[in-house]
Amino acid sequence: MTGKRPTLMDVAEAAGVSRALVSIVMRDAPGASEATRQKVQEAARQLGYRPDSRARLLRSSRTRLLGVSFSTSHAFHAEIVDAAYAGAQARGYEIALSAVTDDRPESRAIESLLDLGCEALIMISPTLGEPELAGYAARLPVVSLLRDDVGESLDSISSDDHAGIRIAVEYLASLGHRSIAHIDGGHTISGPERRDAFRAEMTARGLEVRIIPGGPTEEDGLRAGRELLDDLPTAVIAFNDRCALGVWESFRAAGLRVPEDVSVLGYDDSQFARLSYVQLSSISQDAPLLARAAVDRAIDRLEGSTSPAHLVRTPHLVLRSTTAPVNEHQQGK
């Protein structure tokens, strides 16, 4: 059998039964005795036979596939994908992934999922405009995850960015921080919303608004952190955890201590925040909850719900070791 994939006929010959009987066993259909099932299953195991799922899907009127597009540049997307698999499996569906990269645009990622026969799409932080998104939604259910300004023809599951920033500012202010800087996310999805929320929350408290251009990567955080060294705030709220790690590293390289000299707060509560040598305080969007909600919404649309829905979740604060109350040598700031 070396060099070619075992077939149903190979299993039938090894078990000494008909091909039709092997098919019954592999489909777990009635019509075969328990002894025959065991004999066929043992022959399949010894031959290394696995059913061809692609052929089964082609024969079926349903693929039960949910297509998920995600960006390789966002670690938080990977955590959502992990949770989406579990949510889909619990409801009898499978996940097909398609990545958006620097050389692979979102439209290509989506077309690839459509070519696979996906019955619904979950797009994590889609960047396409409303007309393009509406075009896909006219063909099949589409759920936008982490972005809610997608028009009325799509479902959306998002996290309340303003609430997340409000929680961050309220927490740091409760620790006595008055000099708080925000490293923004540039034009990244949620970047403008978090930047605007920071400005509003600081202004409402009569505090100086200090926003440093940043981005979603560690390099963005490093660059922004260096910019803060000449006039160090007592606390920093970064656009996301990767950016916060860059800020943390820029401070460490300058001989500063976190949180003794400056507190650093991230956003997303991603795997980076949980690194043992960092233990970053962060605003959690709860990736498993968001993923399950998106999967459930996609399946509900497939199984009878006809009207798109727009669900907004409230994030929460996860405290670790990178934030602390203002101390004596910071009091004058």
Side-chain angles (χ1 to χ4, degrees):
M1 303 305 299
T2 302
K4 82 179 186 76
R5 179 173 178 161
T7 65
L8 279 179
M9 185 56 71
D10 295 324
V11 176
E13 292 176 354
V17 299
S18 69
R19 183 185 183 282
L21 199 51
V22 172
S23 178
I24 287 174
V25 173
M26 291 303 162
R27 290 185 287 110
D28 198 24
S33 68
E34 184 58 32
T36 298
R37 289 183 185 278
Q38 292 181 6
K39 183 165 60 174
V40 169
Q41 289 166 354
E42 177 60 20
R45 187 189 66 79
Q46 291 184 2
L47 290 173
Y49 172 80
R50 289 181 60 83
D52 188 339
S53 59
R54 294 170 300 175
R56 184 178 69 252
L57 291 175
L58 287 172
R59 291 191 299 269
S60 172
S61 60
R62 294 285 307 275
T63 64
R64 302 187 75 82
L65 269 179
L66 305 179
V68 178
S69 64
F70 68 103
S71 172
T72 57
S73 63
H74 293 283
F76 187 58
H77 289 194
E79 299 193 31
I80 291 175
V81 167
D82 285 346
Y85 273 109
Q89 184 177 13
R91 296 194 61 176
Y93 283 74
E94 292 291 338
I95 293 288
L97 297 179
S98 192
V100 179
T101 70
D102 290 340
D103 299 319
R104 192 171 192 254
E106 189 169 47
S107 57
R108 179 69 191 94
I110 296 304
E111 291 299 329
S112 176
L113 293 171
L114 296 177
D115 290 344
L116 288 173
C118 292
E119 296 185 325
L121 298 177
I122 298 173
M123 302 175 66
I124 306 177
S125 297
T127 59
L128 294 175
E130 286 190 29
E132 292 88 350
L133 293 173
Y136 290 124
R139 301 165 63 180
L140 75 174
V142 180
V143 179
S144 168
L145 183 51
L146 302 183
R147 177 185 165 194
D148 58 6
D149 59 334
V150 291
E152 294 303 314
S153 60
L154 275 71
D155 290 80
S156 68
I157 308 292
S158 60
S159 179
D160 189 335
D161 286 311
H162 196 126
I165 293 296
R166 179 188 303 119
I167 291 167
V169 172
E170 285 179 348
Y171 165 64
L172 291 173
S174 74
L175 297 180
H177 292 282
R178 297 295 178 266
S179 177
I180 306 170
H182 175 51
I183 312 299
D184 76 5
H187 298 295
T188 305
I189 295 294
S190 294
E193 289 78 8
R194 295 177 193 177
R195 180 172 57 246
D196 291 345
F198 178 79
R199 181 179 291 109
E201 293 301 320
M202 293 292 284
T203 300
R205 291 166 177 77
L207 301 176
E208 178 186 355
V209 176
R210 189 175 179 189
I211 299 173
I212 307 299
T217 69
E218 293 88 344
E219 290 76 13
D220 295 319
L222 275 167
R223 184 179 62 254
R226 294 190 191 106
E227 187 174 336
L228 289 172
L229 294 177
D230 290 336
D231 183 15
L232 193 68
T234 64
V236 173
I237 300 172
F239 166 71
N240 66 8
D241 293 337
R242 289 184 63 187
C243 180
L245 279 181
V247 174
W248 179 84
E249 175 58 27
S250 70
F251 292 159
R252 188 197 65 80
L256 297 172
R257 299 166 300 163
V258 174
E260 292 84 356
D261 297 314
V262 56
S263 289
V264 177
L265 183 63
Y267 205 111
D268 286 342
D269 189 33
S270 67
Q271 58 185 343
F272 293 104
R274 301 188 287 272
L275 290 171
S276 60
Y277 69 93
V278 177
Q279 289 297 296
L280 178 71
S281 295
S282 185
I283 299 297
S284 172
Q285 299 192 75
D286 200 335
L289 182 64
L290 290 172
R292 286 194 298 270
V295 167
D296 285 341
R297 192 60 206 154
I299 295 173
D300 288 347
R301 289 293 307 282
L302 286 171
E303 297 184 351
S305 178
T306 56
S307 300
H310 305 280
L311 307 178
V312 180
R313 306 292 185 184
T314 301
H316 62 275
L317 177 65
V318 178
L319 294 180
R320 296 190 179 90
S321 62
T322 60
T323 49
V326 169
N327 55 44
E328 291 183 2
H329 82 269
Q330 295 174 316
Q331 287 292 346
K333 295 186 177 181

